[in-house]
Amino acid sequence: MRSAGRDVLSLALMDARNHTLHLFSQYQKALEAVNFSMPLMPEINPPLWELGHIGWFQEWWIGRNMQRAMGTRLSSPHTRLASIEPNADLWWDSSHVAHDTRWALPLPGADNIRAYLLDTLESTLELLEKAGDDDDALYFYRLCLFHEDMHAEALAYTAQTLGLPLDPALQAVFTPPAMAGREPVLVPATVWQLGSPAGAGSGFVFDNEKNQHPVQVPEFEIDAQPVTWAQFVEFVDDGGYDSPEWWHPEGWQWLQKLAEGEGRRGPRYVDQIGVASGAVMQTRFGVPRRMSGNQSAMHMSWWEADAWCRWAGRRLPSEVEWEVAAHTAVRRGFRWGDVWEWMGTTFRPYPGFSPDPYAEYSQPWFETHKVLRGASFATRARMKNPKYRNFYLPGRDDIFCGFRSCSL
């Protein structure tokens, strides 16, 4: 999909919008009667704002962007056309509308925002028909497609955070599958080209994947799949949440704040851990469900992942180790794509980094965020790429995240 032409992109953009609206319909069923009222929470956005922002982003970079055919060569700043919604920039420009103010905005109703999304998509598809075939001409169409897919996943984990019930079909899709246990994989030493190649004919590349560069990688052993609930329960049983020696000092402080505020002594959304049986009850979209011991342990912060690894005498993988394994060890049992996986590495630019036109995507978050690799069950298939770098603050545990480990 990163190299998709106009016809495939047109279908994908329609599919993304249909998926967005289908997910939003779950919010309408649960929240429309209370005018989408919900508490201000630091990790998520109000659903009406999230929906409008998706349309605004597409209009900003395509419909209103007179230099859209220039791709990453776009000059900044430059004059844009007016929006079809006069207040669009005041409501949905994420670079200038602070997170906490989004709850107090006089946003239009759901029907009006849906109409705005339909109008912006129609404009996008008309412009796409006239676009060129090269990577520059299609760059912003691909960017907006992937941006919408990211926000669709955000709508999914926001529903989990709010405890919203989902249609049975979505509930089934948004459940991590059970896995057959496999032994760790030994990966031989190599020189790996970390990152994605960029340039003419390379297709779409996120700016934080550039520039591709060689890295010397010693031999390493890595788990064939993410850590399971059965493995994580042993850590809980051994007093892992009460033993500061396993925790990074900042992680221990994070845990103590949660213990004081929520009384938590386990992963997020977990209501019960049966130490003897290994059973885990975790609330999934408002419904307590028994999680299988061979499912990926999920809704773990980086601090919890790091603490488990210290307790187990292992460590989190580096980005380059994970990337090598994802490319070379799949036939030997390396499984990824069920949950996002925390890396041991901090989110930093690769050598020679320069921001792309959407400069707020990566650059503001370097040095403070941790990297996650892979994908989750809520990630659209076209987004899944072993080069993709996701990134969140180490305390985030609302996303569909887990981890795997490497030998010391």
Side-chain angles (χ1 to χ4, degrees), residues 322-374:
W322 191 95
E323 192 172 302
V324 170
H327 278 88
T328 66
V330 170
R331 291 185 179 180
R332 292 190 288 135
F334 187 87
R335 174 180 176 136
W336 66 276
D338 296 326
V339 292
W340 290 104
E341 300 176 35
W342 289 109
M343 299 293 102
T345 38
T346 297
F347 185 48
R348 293 189 174 96
Y350 289 163
F353 170 86
S354 61
D356 281 344
Y358 179 28
E360 297 83 3
Y361 177 62
S362 300
Q363 196 168 34
W365 320 116
F366 289 141
E367 307 297 339
T368 58
H369 288 46
K370 295 292 185 181
V371 176
L372 300 101
R373 288 298 195 104

Side-chain angles (χ1 to χ4, degrees), residues 268-287:
R268 189 166 184 165
Y269 309 122
V270 168
D271 305 305
Q272 183 181 351
I273 294 180
V275 173
S277 64
V280 173
M281 294 294 293
Q282 188 174 46
T283 297
R284 308 288 304 133
F285 301 102
V287 180

Side-chain angles (χ1 to χ4, degrees), residues 238-312:
D238 200 35
Y241 279 83
D242 299 300
S243 305
E245 64 265 28
W246 306 125
W247 294 77
H248 186 287
E250 291 182 42
W252 185 249
Q253 292 177 7
W254 170 87
L255 181 61
Q256 297 318 298
K257 288 180 182 178
L258 284 180
E260 293 169 7
E262 304 175 19
R264 267 175 60 184
R265 274 293 181 263
R268 189 166 184 165
Y269 309 122
V270 168
D271 305 305
Q272 183 181 351
I273 294 180
V275 173
S277 64
V280 173
M281 294 294 293
Q282 188 174 46
T283 297
R284 308 288 304 133
F285 301 102
V287 180
R289 295 185 180 276
R290 178 171 175 148
M291 310 307 290
S292 170
N294 58 354
Q295 286 176 304
S296 299
M298 189 173 58
H299 293 301
M300 305 287 174
S301 68
W302 188 90
W303 304 122
E304 289 165 295
D306 178 65
W308 185 94
C309 288
R310 292 172 187 237
W311 167 82

Side-chain angles (χ1 to χ4, degrees), residues 112-242:
N112 288 334
I113 297 178
R114 289 171 69 100
Y116 174 65
L117 262 68
L118 292 172
D119 290 342
T120 51
L121 178 62
E122 183 179 3
S123 170
T124 293
L125 296 177
E126 289 176 355
L127 292 168
L128 177 58
E129 286 183 1
K130 305 168 188 173
D133 295 320
D134 59 281
D135 286 338
D136 280 339
L138 298 177
Y139 173 82
F140 287 108
Y141 297 93
R142 294 167 179 164
L143 172 66
C144 290
L145 171 65
F146 295 137
H147 174 267
E148 183 154 358
D149 284 342
M150 291 180 208
H151 278 272
E153 183 157 355
L155 284 169
Y157 68 67
T158 298
Q160 165 70 4
T161 301
L162 297 174
L164 298 186
L166 298 180
D167 289 342
L170 277 177
Q171 178 79 52
V173 170
F174 292 165
T175 299
M179 304 175 293
R182 290 181 178 269
E183 293 298 313
V185 177
L186 186 66
V187 180
T190 187
V191 176
W192 186 254
Q193 295 295 325
L194 183 63
S196 296
S202 297
F204 181 90
V205 177
F206 288 98
D207 62 4
N208 61 53
E209 297 171 14
K210 299 183 286 189
N211 289 315
Q212 192 174 61
H213 58 288
V215 178
Q216 188 79 40
V217 185
E219 180 184 78
F220 64 96
E221 178 199 275
I222 188 168
D223 291 340
Q225 64 264 316
V227 168
T228 64
W229 280 119
Q231 292 172 294
F232 197 83
V233 166
E234 295 180 27
F235 171 68
V236 179
D237 184 28
D238 200 35
Y241 279 83
D242 299 300

Side-chain angles (χ1 to χ4, degrees), residues 33-167:
V34 294
N35 197 28
F36 296 93
S37 176
M38 55 173 283
L40 191 157
M41 304 176 75
E43 348 41 36
I44 60 177
N45 288 308
L48 285 177
W49 187 93
E50 189 94 24
L51 188 67
H53 171 74
I54 291 169
W56 173 87
F57 188 93
Q58 191 173 107
E59 188 190 27
W60 176 262
W61 288 112
I62 298 176
R64 300 170 60 188
N65 179 9
M66 293 185 291
Q67 297 184 15
R68 57 184 166 269
M70 296 181 66
T72 56
R73 298 179 294 111
L74 174 141
S75 61
S76 182
H78 68 278
T79 303
R80 276 181 162 79
L81 299 173
S83 172
I84 59 174
E85 167 50 65
N87 292 310
D89 294 344
L90 297 175
W91 291 333
W92 295 309
D93 184 348
S94 55
S95 298
H96 296 97
V97 181
H99 176 272
D100 288 4
T101 66
R102 296 170 190 174
W103 271 259
L105 294 170
L107 297 176
D111 289 344
N112 288 334
I113 297 178
R114 289 171 69 100
Y116 174 65
L117 262 68
L118 292 172
D119 290 342
T120 51
L121 178 62
E122 183 179 3
S123 170
T124 293
L125 296 177
E126 289 176 355
L127 292 168
L128 177 58
E129 286 183 1
K130 305 168 188 173
D133 295 320
D134 59 281
D135 286 338
D136 280 339
L138 298 177
Y139 173 82
F140 287 108
Y141 297 93
R142 294 167 179 164
L143 172 66
C144 290
L145 171 65
F146 295 137
H147 174 267
E148 183 154 358
D149 284 342
M150 291 180 208
H151 278 272
E153 183 157 355
L155 284 169
Y157 68 67
T158 298
Q160 165 70 4
T161 301
L162 297 174
L164 298 186
L166 298 180
D167 289 342

